[in-house]
Amino acid sequence: MNTKILIADDDATTRMLLRTTLEKLGYQVEIACDGGQAWSALQAPGAANLAILDWLMPGVTGPDICRKLRGRKNGPYVYVILLTAMDKLNDLIQGIEAGADDYITKPFNAQELKARLRAGWRILDLQHELLAAQTELEIRATHDGLTGLWNHGAIIERLVGELDRATREKTPVGVILFDLDHFKQVNDTYGHSVGDQVLRESAHRINAVLRPYDVVGRYGGEEFLTVAPGCNLRSAAEIAERVRKALSATPVVTPTAQLLITASAGVSEATFENLPEAGALIDAADRALYRAKELGRNRVECDGKIASLTARARSFGVTSLKTSEPTISNQIAK
């Protein structure tokens, strides 16, 4: 959080006294000569989190700015201290009801101002901590703790959202379900800590070759679900093949072993002419994945009446869908 303070006052002498006092206290000071300048400054990137606003200013008053700040839906909270010559109770109540956090009367006392600023920063620090905690809880609720990817529930929600958008925009959505081949043997042979390293590295490699607007989540165990907006079956299959190659390109280096991993993938698509529910789309990808496993693993298969990607590799422009690269099980056997 920055320590910038905005001063807004149409009186040059007051501005100078406030600026001198605040700079001696170690604050970075921004100056506005009227309410309009103050409102513009508070909406700019890197705006001050704390503002000292004169009550009466040309154009936009201090309480007007308070109401604008409290009425906006976005942007960080700004702690506002109203600077006023009015000391009647009704006037002060009016300022607080407008959204001011505190007030100080003219002519101000430097020690009183210092104390009120200290109270303001305590409130802002507390709010910052609460927002950070809220963000952390949201991340934990939607992300897998091991891989950092979207978790099971969140990736399905993302798929549902993409299907809704596909309905509106009449675009396809591709779904890819990856499964690491023979992963159970990694855990059984090398232990779960090595298995966790394999999962983390696999998540990293998948993310590295996806498009910026693709989303991937840990669907369960060693399965990863990828949602590819705007992709028909062919395009989604090409993404799946790119991921498959990235996963098996180099061994995963762990303290106890170097493991060359492979993955099988099942691909399905939703078009605006045929838009299944999210569950049905995942089931279709799962059927294709099961077929990839049956056909020898380390390959990409497509769902439905469309021929498998292996059979259509030439027309899809994909030259290598099944390779002789050693799988995890081969590594272990050796």
Side-chain angles (χ1 to χ4, degrees):
M1 186 185 301
N2 65 49
T3 57
K4 184 192 298 183
I5 296 179
L6 173 68
I7 297 171
D9 199 304
D10 60 325
D11 180 67
T13 301
T14 303
R15 291 198 305 270
M16 182 187 68
L17 290 172
L18 279 170
R19 181 172 197 158
T20 301
T21 302
L22 294 175
E23 288 180 344
K24 284 182 179 178
L25 294 173
Y27 294 111
Q28 179 186 353
V29 178
E30 184 177 8
I31 298 293
C33 299
D34 57 43
Q37 288 184 12
W39 177 239
S40 296
L42 289 170
Q43 296 183 90
N49 295 117
L50 193 149
I52 301 174
L53 308 177
D54 187 24
W55 187 300
L56 295 175
M57 290 184 288
V60 185
T61 67
D64 288 339
I65 295 174
C66 289
R67 280 186 281 268
K68 286 175 174 286
L69 285 171
R70 304 311 175 223
R72 67 181 182 179
K73 296 182 179 179
N74 297 316
Y77 188 83
V78 179
Y79 190 92
V80 177
I81 299 175
L82 283 178
L83 185 63
T84 177
M86 297 181 287
D87 57 2
K88 292 181 180 179
L89 181 59
N90 286 340
D91 293 329
L92 299 177
I93 290 174
Q94 180 186 345
I96 298 299
E97 288 181 342
D101 298 284
D102 203 350
Y103 70 93
I104 190 167
T105 57
K106 294 180 179 181
F108 67 89
N109 176 277
Q111 291 304 312
E112 180 186 1
L113 177 60
K114 180 180 178 180
R116 292 184 184 275
L117 288 173
R118 196 175 291 154
W121 288 117
R122 281 201 300 268
I123 296 296
L124 289 172
D125 286 342
L126 177 60
Q127 189 211 33
H128 180 74
E129 291 173 6
L130 289 173
L131 288 175
Q134 180 182 357
T135 300
E136 177 65 22
L137 288 173
E138 289 173 353
I139 291 174
R140 289 185 181 184
T142 58
H143 288 72
D144 175 57
L146 177 64
T147 63
L149 301 178
W150 296 102
N151 63 22
H152 179 93
I155 189 61
I156 291 176
E157 285 186 11
R158 295 298 300 269
L159 173 57
V160 170
E162 288 299 334
L163 290 175
D164 288 342
R165 184 164 69 172
T167 303
R168 296 192 305 271
E169 299 179 0
K170 295 185 177 181
T171 55
V173 177
V175 169
I176 311 166
L177 192 60
F178 296 98
D179 186 278
L180 301 185
D181 296 325
H182 303 294
F183 179 75
K184 184 177 183 298
Q185 295 183 37
V186 176
N187 284 332
D188 291 346
T189 304
Y190 297 102
H192 288 278
S193 62
V194 171
D196 287 349
Q197 291 180 62
V198 169
L199 288 172
R200 282 193 292 268
E201 177 61 19
S202 298
H204 172 74
R205 293 184 184 187
I206 293 171
N207 249 333
V209 296
L210 292 179
R211 302 171 303 171
Y213 40 88
D214 294 330
V215 288
V216 58
R218 187 180 177 193
Y219 190 66
E222 66 273 21
E223 289 187 328
F224 300 92
L225 180 66
T226 297
V227 181
C231 278
N232 58 21
L233 198 67
R234 170 180 174 171
S235 300
E238 290 172 346
I239 291 173
E241 175 63 9
R242 188 163 68 242
V243 170
R244 186 196 67 78
K245 287 182 176 179
L247 287 171
S248 61
T250 56
V252 176
V253 179
T254 74
T256 55
Q258 294 188 27
L259 301 174
L260 186 60
I261 61 171
T262 64
S264 302
V267 184
S268 63
E269 72 168 341
T271 64
F272 65 90
E273 299 97 341
N274 176 28
L275 199 65
E277 297 290 332
L281 199 55
I282 295 171
D283 287 344
D286 192 45
R287 287 194 298 272
L289 171 62
Y290 185 78
R291 187 165 62 251
K293 295 283 189 181
E294 285 187 321
L295 292 173
R297 294 183 167 84
N298 191 21
R299 61 192 297 139
V300 175
E301 291 292 325
C302 294
D303 170 66
K305 297 179 181 179
I306 298 178
S308 74
L309 186 58
T310 303
R312 302 185 65 192
R314 194 166 299 172
S315 64
F316 277 12
V318 180
T319 58
S320 175
L321 293 168
K322 184 181 179 185
T323 72
S324 59
E325 296 166 346
T327 63
I328 289 174
S329 59
N330 291 335
Q331 289 271 93
I332 294 171
K334 291 178 182 178

